[in-house]
């Protein structure tokens, strides 16, 4: 049974950065109601009503996974580790974005799957066999007609974006070689609950995974988890290592340990999510209170990182130009545009936060350390960051 525990109100599609603010663009902006449910049968946390993927993954997809040093390093490290561990002769990545992972593989060794045409163009140009399509049974069959099954299927921040998980996992099973490994990582619901990072809920994050939920879902597609890792990336992610039911892999003890940890955290109980829902409401009032106080004192506040996550915060908390001046972002194709829903101008982060700024809300709180290093001058002159994770607070130099 699906039970609702969170209502994040009317939200826009997070990838829909506006090029212009005028009557027409505002009228055409698409909104939907973002509410989140817990499935008591398989412990899966999902959006109650996912948006049509064709509206989301267009040829104007903005996010470039290679924009942060943290992620470039993380993808390089995992590529090296997977090559050593599984020695795959044929690999595939589902959701290859701008090629930040596959660039660590030889051109003939890996296939890219990426539905956003503008991103698929990048990996094609790099020389990789790229399918500019959504991952589903039809595509899996098409790829198998031309290629061997895969010894390694990798996917980062993509599986949680796909509404139909049964079809997704069935297609993976079909595409894996007998002892192939399916390694995928996505934001972890355990971290979201712990850190109160409710901004991980937005249109693209159709599900947030736990080990409990994934174990149950994979079983239905004759797959099983044989190892698991908790990661610090994106404010807390989970990496699953899965294989066919009869593959050679022995289950690592990390699986049992995490299973117990999740039960202890209560990820199997609706009550845990209900309590989280209440904490989210408090976080909203704390943040709005702080921003209003700073505004009253004449402080200049901006936001750092035009993240998809921050669209949830701004729209849920009703934060617009009344409280925040603009957003800084290093991604070229976001610059000069306006954030979805609240229409904050996105400016280049350029040489750093300018002297007139007193506070910067961390839209990209998951890159706090990287941003702190970049913006050390801002901190040294007394500038401060604001975050809502794990609770609303101000971060200075110390
Ligand atoms: O799953 C998803 C994740 C991985 O990426 C997607 N559905 C969409 C996107 O979500 P996000 O926008 O919340 O992700 P990030 O990676 O937290 O975005 C960081 C943003 O901040 C980028 O636009 C780049 C920007 N940035 C910056 O301007 N200066 C980041 C850093 C580290 C910086 O120093």
């Amino acid at each position: 049974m699906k039970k609702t525990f969170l209502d994040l109100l009317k939200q826009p599609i997070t990838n829909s950065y506006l090029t212009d603010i005028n009557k027409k663009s505002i009228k055409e902006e698409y909104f939907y109601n973002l509410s989140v449910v817990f499935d008591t049968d398989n412990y899966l946390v999902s959006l109650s009503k996912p948006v049509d993927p064709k509206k989301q993954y267009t040829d104007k997809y903005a996010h470039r996974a290679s924009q942060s040093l943290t992620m470039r390093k993380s993808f390089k490290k995992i590529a090296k580790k997977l090559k050593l561990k599984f020695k795959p002769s044929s690999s595939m990545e589902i959701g290859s974005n701008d090629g930040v992972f596959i660039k660590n593989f030889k051109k003939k060794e890996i296939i890219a799957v990426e539905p956003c045409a503008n991103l698929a163009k990048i990996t094609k140009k790099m020389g990789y066999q790229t399918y500019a399509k959504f991952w589903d049974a039809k595509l899996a069959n098409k790829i198998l007609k031309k290629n061997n099954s895969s010894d390694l299927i990798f996917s980062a921040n993509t599986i949680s974006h796909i509404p139909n998980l049964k079809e997704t996992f069935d297609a993976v099973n079909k595409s894996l070689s007998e002892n192939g490994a399916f390694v995928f990582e996505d934001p972890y619901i355990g971290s979201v609950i712990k850190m109160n990072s409710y901004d991980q809920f937005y249109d693209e994050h159709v599900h947030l995974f736990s080990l409990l939920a994934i174990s149950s879902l994979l079983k239905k597609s004759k797959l099983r988890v044989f190892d698991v890792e908790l990661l610090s990336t994106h404010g807390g992610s989970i990496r699953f290592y899965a294989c066919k039911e009869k593959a050679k892999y022995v289950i690592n003890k990390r699986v049992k340990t995490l299973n117990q940890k999740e039960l202890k955290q209560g990820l199997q109980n609706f009550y845990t999510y209900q309590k989280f829902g209440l904490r989210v409401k408090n976080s909203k009032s704390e943040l709005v209170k702080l921003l209003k106080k700073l505004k009253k004192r004449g402080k200049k506040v901006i936001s750092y990182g035009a993240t998809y996550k921050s669209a949830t915060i701004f729209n849920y908390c009703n934060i617009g130009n009344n409280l925040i001046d603009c957003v800084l972002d290093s991604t070229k194709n976001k610059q000069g545009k306006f954030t979805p829903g609240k229409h904050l101008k996105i400016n280049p982060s350029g040489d750093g936060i300018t002297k007139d700024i007193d506070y910067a809300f961390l839209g990209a709180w998951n890159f706090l350390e990287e941003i702190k290093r970049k913006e050390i001058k801002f901190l040294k002159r007394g500038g401060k960051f604001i975050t809502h994770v794990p609770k609303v607070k101000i971060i200075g130099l110390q």
Side-chain angles (χ1 to χ4, degrees):
M1 188 164 80
K2 287 179 183 169
K3 293 168 101 174
T4 305
F5 63 90
L6 191 60
D7 180 4
L8 293 169
L9 310 176
K10 216 170 80 165
Q11 293 282 345
I13 289 185
T14 44
N15 184 52
S16 57
Y17 297 89
L18 280 78
T19 26
D20 239 322
I21 297 296
N22 53 46
K23 264 191 190 160
K24 190 171 173 270
S25 64
I26 292 173
K27 201 176 156 208
E28 281 173 359
E29 207 172 5
Y30 179 86
F31 286 89
Y32 69 101
N33 286 318
L34 175 54
S35 64
V36 191
V37 298
F38 173 68
D39 190 329
T40 53
D41 298 329
N42 58 17
Y43 312 130
L44 183 65
V45 169
S46 311
L47 304 192
S48 60
K49 215 168 164 225
V51 167
D52 178 0
K54 288 197 185 105
K55 281 194 164 70
Q56 300 166 303
Y57 307 104
T58 64
D59 59 350
K60 292 183 183 56
Y61 196 75
H63 179 73
R64 299 285 183 275
S66 62
Q67 275 301 304
S68 96
L69 179 65
T70 316
M71 291 317 293
R72 286 198 297 278
K73 278 189 185 160
S74 163
F75 283 120
K76 193 172 176 181
K77 196 169 150 201
I78 183 64
K80 194 173 167 196
K81 182 171 163 176
L82 296 177
K83 281 196 276 185
L84 263 174
K85 197 174 163 89
F86 300 112
K87 303 189 176 39
S89 54
S90 53
S91 303
M92 175 156 66
E93 186 184 15
I94 304 174
S96 47
N97 199 274
D98 59 0
V100 65
F101 172 77
I102 61 165
K103 73 175 187 193
N104 300 292
F105 287 72
K106 290 192 185 125
K107 309 265 180 310
K108 292 239 146 44
E109 285 178 354
I110 193 159
I111 295 168
V113 172
E114 173 51 64
C116 304
N118 58 332
L119 297 174
K121 233 185 233 169
I122 302 175
T123 51
K124 252 185 210 159
K125 211 169 158 193
M126 284 159 76
Y128 291 95
Q129 187 185 160
T130 304
Y131 290 83
K133 295 227 175 303
F134 287 99
W135 175 253
D136 56 16
K138 204 169 142 200
L139 179 63
N141 287 332
K142 187 175 171 182
I143 294 176
L144 280 171
K145 274 191 190 143
K146 240 183 95 182
N147 301 274
N148 291 332
S149 50
S150 299
D151 297 332
L152 171 69
I153 299 181
F154 179 74
S155 186
N157 303 305
T158 299
I159 302 298
S160 61
H161 296 47
I162 310 179
N164 189 343
L165 292 177
K166 176 73 168 77
E167 179 175 6
T168 299
F169 292 148
D170 283 348
V172 165
N173 191 335
K174 193 173 240 182
S175 308
L176 271 183
S177 60
E178 200 183 328
N179 282 308
F182 171 38
V183 182
F184 62 107
E185 59 186 67
D186 287 276
Y188 180 45
I189 186 68
S191 307
V192 170
I193 299 287
K194 193 169 149 207
M195 310 277 284
N196 221 26
S197 46
Y198 66 91
D199 49 338
Q200 289 286 15
F201 291 109
Y202 52 89
D203 61 316
E204 294 191 2
H205 286 173
V206 180
H207 320 281
L208 285 185
F209 298 144
S210 62
L211 173 62
L212 290 169
I214 285 299
S215 303
S216 155
L217 292 163
L218 288 180
K219 212 171 175 183
K220 296 205 169 91
S221 297
K222 297 193 172 9
L223 294 166
R224 63 179 173 89
V225 176
F226 65 91
D227 202 357
V228 69
E229 287 168 346
L230 292 185
L231 314 169
S232 60
T233 46
H234 290 295
S237 298
I238 184 162
R239 180 181 290 147
F240 300 99
Y241 292 76
C243 61
K244 289 186 191 244
E245 259 172 0
K246 293 194 174 133
K248 64 180 180 184
Y249 303 103
V250 175
I251 300 176
N252 190 293
K253 61 174 186 292
R254 276 190 287 261
V255 176
K256 193 175 166 196
T257 310
L258 184 60
N259 204 289
Q260 284 166 345
K261 197 175 154 206
E262 288 191 348
L263 293 172
K264 208 168 158 204
Q265 195 185 355
L267 296 187
Q268 76 283 25
N269 295 328
F270 180 60
Y271 179 57
T272 306
Y273 301 94
Q274 272 182 312
K275 276 198 303 189
F276 166 74
L278 291 177
R279 291 201 299 277
V280 171
K281 279 188 184 159
N282 288 337
S283 175
K284 171 180 175 170
S285 24
E286 289 289 305
L287 180 62
V288 173
K289 201 166 90 190
L290 173 63
L291 292 175
K292 281 187 175 163
K293 190 170 88 186
L294 295 175
K295 187 81 189 174
K296 224 173 168 181
R297 288 188 188 159
K299 302 291 180 196
K300 196 162 171 179
V301 185
I302 57 139
S303 187
Y304 203 95
T307 57
Y308 292 43
K309 292 185 287 292
S310 57
T312 293
I313 305 278
F314 295 154
N315 288 282
Y316 174 60
C317 301
N318 197 17
I319 296 167
N321 275 124
N322 52 334
L323 296 170
I324 282 183
D325 273 46
C326 67
V327 185
L328 300 186
D329 199 288
S330 60
T331 318
K332 283 216 166 56
N333 58 307
K334 289 183 186 173
Q335 295 164 2
K337 294 184 181 164
F338 299 85
T339 64
K342 288 294 157 193
H343 311 152
L344 291 158
K345 180 85 189 283
I346 305 170
N347 292 326
S349 42
D351 297 329
I353 302 174
T354 49
K355 288 202 172 111
D356 54 326
I357 310 296
D358 302 298
Y359 291 84
F361 174 74
L362 284 166
W365 55 267
N366 44 316
F367 295 117
L368 172 64
E369 293 312 318
E370 185 176 340
I371 293 170
K372 264 177 150 180
R373 278 195 295 276
K374 258 187 214 166
E375 297 295 343
I376 190 69
K377 281 190 194 153
F378 166 69
L379 287 169
K380 278 190 175 162
R381 66 169 176 264
K384 291 186 172 61
F385 289 114
I386 298 170
T387 187
H388 67 292
V389 178
K391 58 182 179 119
V392 175
K393 63 177 177 185
I394 289 171
I395 302 169
L397 192 55
Q398 289 314 314

